[in-house]
Amino acid sequence: MGQSFLVTGGAGFVGSHLVAALRARGDAVVVFDNLSTGHRAAVPEDVPLVHGDLTDATAIDAAMAGQGFDGVFHFAALSLVGDSMRQPERYFSANVGNSLRLIEACLKHGVGKFVFSSTAALFGMPERIPIAEDDRVDPGSPYGESKHMVERMLHWADRVHGLRYAALRYFNAAGADPDGRLGEDHQPETHLIPLAIDAALGRRPPLAVFGTDYPTPDGTCIRDYVHVSDLASAHLAAFARLDDSSVTYNLGSASGHSVREVLAAVARVGGQPVPHTLAARRPGDPAVLIASPERIKRETGWAPRLTALEDIVATAWAWRAAHPDGYRA
Ligand code: UFG
């Protein structure tokens, strides 16, 4: 018998891929999403979608009452580092305030397991690479800070009430469902891979490479790109651990790629160069972010499957080429 779950933000990029993974193994899912950045078309027609907002405790109550959920996966959040530097209060409200309401609802309705979308951004400028879970937390933005605050709330919800949680720190989520049904569609788009693909396809102006004077071999920033379907499977692996204890995991591949390497991979996959310009650094970008995923590997056996950058880019390319207007098509 499958289990049943509430997935907040299940109409978004990573959330929709988790919904697909849950359903593939026979679980029942209810999606709770305000559709501010998510897409109705990303939720399968036979999955109940509660079009609600986490500012509304009554709506959360109504979604949870009598459902007997085995757990909650909480993706719904604001997630842009630069945006959070302009409007920190919005991030604390949407990410911290809303998470608190959701935790309270879990306690009220007897939902004992909570999986939380955290971020590599809580490490700020890391002291060492690859980054392990217990390395120094020093968020460089309100976004990273807001996610760390939720991790701390969950820590105390566990200590005081026994709420089991998984805090999953994503590095750079990328790619698209290899079956071609789901993909990345942000408005506005700010992420490197979709912007580079669109530049190669001539749908956008040349990509601006943010900074070429970083202390890296080619001068551009290095990131750990992890395929979104691998992120989804990591959620299932982490959830299975919650019978024993709460867990915190860094989710990445242990390898990094520079911006120039990403552009080269996009060019190889698409068979055409990525038009680009060289621009100034984007404020707040650390030079290198690479995860050590050793803890989740050791404790759950999880490992990313799509590790080659070109394979990750190829899934993103296939989806964008087939969906020029994203989910609006
Ligand atoms: N970049 C460019 N030009 C662009 C866009 C991005 O050069 O037009 C560069 C960035 O400077 C960075 C790299 O490409 O060096 C990746 O940038 P993204 O915006 O795609 O991703 P970030 O690393 O900034 O952030 C992502 C998520 C965050 C998360 C972080 C953790 O958006 O939520 O990964 O690693 F916190």
Side-chain angles (χ1 to χ4, degrees):
M1 253 273 291
Q3 295 177 289
S4 80
F5 297 102
L6 183 70
V7 181
T8 78
F13 176 41
V14 187
S16 61
H17 286 77
L18 187 265
V19 170
L22 290 171
R23 282 169 39 88
R25 64 172 203 181
D27 292 333
V29 179
V30 174
V31 169
F32 188 102
D33 202 301
N34 68 6
L35 300 179
S36 63
T37 56
H39 306 275
R40 189 176 288 275
V43 180
E45 276 180 10
D46 55 345
V47 169
L49 166 65
V50 178
H51 185 188
D53 201 289
L54 292 173
T55 54
D56 181 355
T58 312
I60 305 171
D61 255 352
M64 279 197 186
Q67 292 276 5
F69 289 123
D70 295 289
V72 165
F73 291 87
H74 178 35
F75 294 89
L78 300 177
S79 64
L80 297 177
V81 173
D83 188 37
S84 79
M85 297 296 280
R86 290 183 288 275
Q87 35 187 355
E89 298 75 18
R90 234 185 119 219
Y91 275 70
F92 292 121
S93 172
N95 294 358
V96 184
N98 289 356
S99 296
L100 178 58
R101 263 182 294 281
L102 190 60
I103 291 168
E104 286 171 334
C106 286
L107 298 175
K108 179 173 169 185
H109 294 283
V111 179
K113 294 176 180 168
F114 194 104
V115 180
F116 175 59
S117 300
S118 190
T119 177
L122 54 72
F123 292 109
M125 303 287 170
E127 282 178 319
R128 59 172 188 164
I129 296 293
I131 308 171
E133 284 79 2
D134 295 332
D135 286 358
R136 190 190 61 185
V137 167
D138 184 17
S141 67
Y143 167 64
E145 189 81 68
S146 70
K147 291 286 185 173
H148 186 236
M149 289 164 80
V150 178
E151 288 194 4
R152 298 306 301 163
M153 294 196 305
L154 288 167
H155 167 82
W156 288 108
D158 183 4
R159 287 263 308 256
V160 176
H161 303 294
L163 178 72
R164 291 277 172 83
Y165 70 92
L168 304 181
R169 286 117 169 225
Y170 309 160
F171 282 61
N172 286 58
D177 164 31
D179 290 347
R181 288 166 299 143
L182 304 168
E184 185 168 13
D185 180 4
H186 295 114
Q187 296 294 334
E189 189 53 76
T190 62
H191 295 97
L192 177 62
I193 291 176
L195 288 177
I197 291 171
D198 280 3
L201 290 168
R203 292 183 188 148
R204 286 184 196 264
L207 180 104
V209 174
F210 295 145
T212 53
D213 59 348
Y214 284 98
T216 59
D218 70 16
T220 64
C221 287
I222 293 176
R223 293 289 179 273
D224 185 340
Y225 296 91
V226 54
H227 192 273
V228 62
S229 300
D230 284 325
L231 282 184
S233 69
H235 287 69
L236 306 184
F239 184 81
R241 283 279 300 168
L242 297 184
D243 287 333
D244 299 327
S245 68
S246 292
V247 293
T248 296
Y249 294 134
N250 288 356
L251 296 186
S253 68
S255 63
H257 297 283
S258 72
V259 174
R260 287 190 206 272
E261 286 172 346
V262 170
L263 299 193
V266 172
R268 281 195 300 276
V269 167
Q272 49 207 319
V274 179
H276 62 275
T277 59
L278 304 183
R281 291 183 180 197
R282 187 171 66 177
D285 274 345
V288 183
L289 281 177
I290 298 174
S292 166
E294 287 314 308
R295 185 188 283 177
I296 184 170
K297 283 185 171 177
R298 192 175 61 245
E299 293 187 359
T300 75
W302 174 85
R305 288 185 180 175
L306 272 162
T307 50
L309 180 61
E310 258 180 66
D311 294 342
I312 294 174
V313 167
T315 61
W317 182 288
W319 196 80
R320 284 192 93 76
H323 300 84
D325 295 314
Y327 285 106
R328 286 171 306 288

